[in-house]
Amino acid sequence: MSDQQQRVWETTQSSPEFAQLRKSFRGFAFPLTAAFLSWYFIYILLTAFARDFVVTPVIGNINIAFILGTLQFVSTFVIMWLYERHSSHVLDGASDKLRDQVEKELAQ
């Protein structure tokens, strides 16, 4: 990496725009990741230690464990949709602007 490239990347990473982009990403991703992992581990702990509860039939052969397992997939798709929405509305414009600025400075 040349000195010019190094300078451009260091300038970009120390810019307020980059800091705001990073804050927006982390402010969304970290809490959602913590919530999902908590939900996942609760599911695992219930299936491991509360078998009497999770084998309770709800409708026919469908029990609580099956419903919770299905909700794991549903929550994954909801999180994916929420992230795509957040990315499209908040992150993409700011990252495109930073990318264009970096490309312009590197072309000089």
Side-chain angles (χ1 to χ4, degrees), residues 1 4 22 28 31 44 51 53 56 61-62 90 106:
M1 185 179 297
Q4 178 199 9
R22 188 173 49 223
F28 181 85
I44 296 298
R51 286 193 181 264
F53 170 69
T56 305
N61 289 333
I62 297 175
V90 178
L106 289 175

Side-chain angles (χ1 to χ4, degrees), residues 46-66:
L46 284 173
T47 57
F49 299 110
R51 286 193 181 264
D52 292 338
F53 170 69
V54 296
V55 297
T56 305
V58 178
I59 301 171
N61 289 333
I62 297 175
N63 60 22
I64 293 174
F66 181 80

Side-chain angles (χ1 to χ4, degrees), residues 11-90:
T11 303
T12 301
Q13 288 178 353
S14 63
S15 71
E17 294 88 1
F18 186 81
Q20 180 59 41
L21 181 63
R22 188 173 49 223
K23 181 180 177 183
S24 296
F25 171 75
R26 289 179 178 174
F28 181 85
F30 288 176
L32 212 53
T33 300
F36 179 77
L37 287 174
S38 298
W39 155 235
Y40 174 72
F41 287 123
I42 287 170
Y43 170 66
I44 296 298
L45 291 172
L46 284 173
T47 57
F49 299 110
R51 286 193 181 264
D52 292 338
F53 170 69
V54 296
V55 297
T56 305
V58 178
I59 301 171
N61 289 333
I62 297 175
N63 60 22
I64 293 174
F66 181 80
I67 293 171
L68 292 176
T70 303
L71 288 174
Q72 287 289 316
F73 287 100
V74 171
S75 64
T76 300
F77 285 104
V78 167
I79 289 169
M80 177 191 63
W81 174 74
L82 288 172
Y83 177 75
E84 191 282 325
R85 196 168 146 222
H86 174 74
S87 176
S88 295
H89 290 99
V90 178

Side-chain angles (χ1 to χ4, degrees), residues 8-9 12 15 17-18 21 91-107:
V8 169
W9 289 115
T12 301
S15 71
E17 294 88 1
F18 186 81
L21 181 63
L91 303 177
D92 289 350
S95 64
D96 289 346
K97 182 179 173 187
L98 277 172
R99 183 199 62 224
D100 293 344
Q101 179 182 346
V102 166
E103 288 176 352
K104 180 181 173 185
E105 290 179 27
L106 289 175

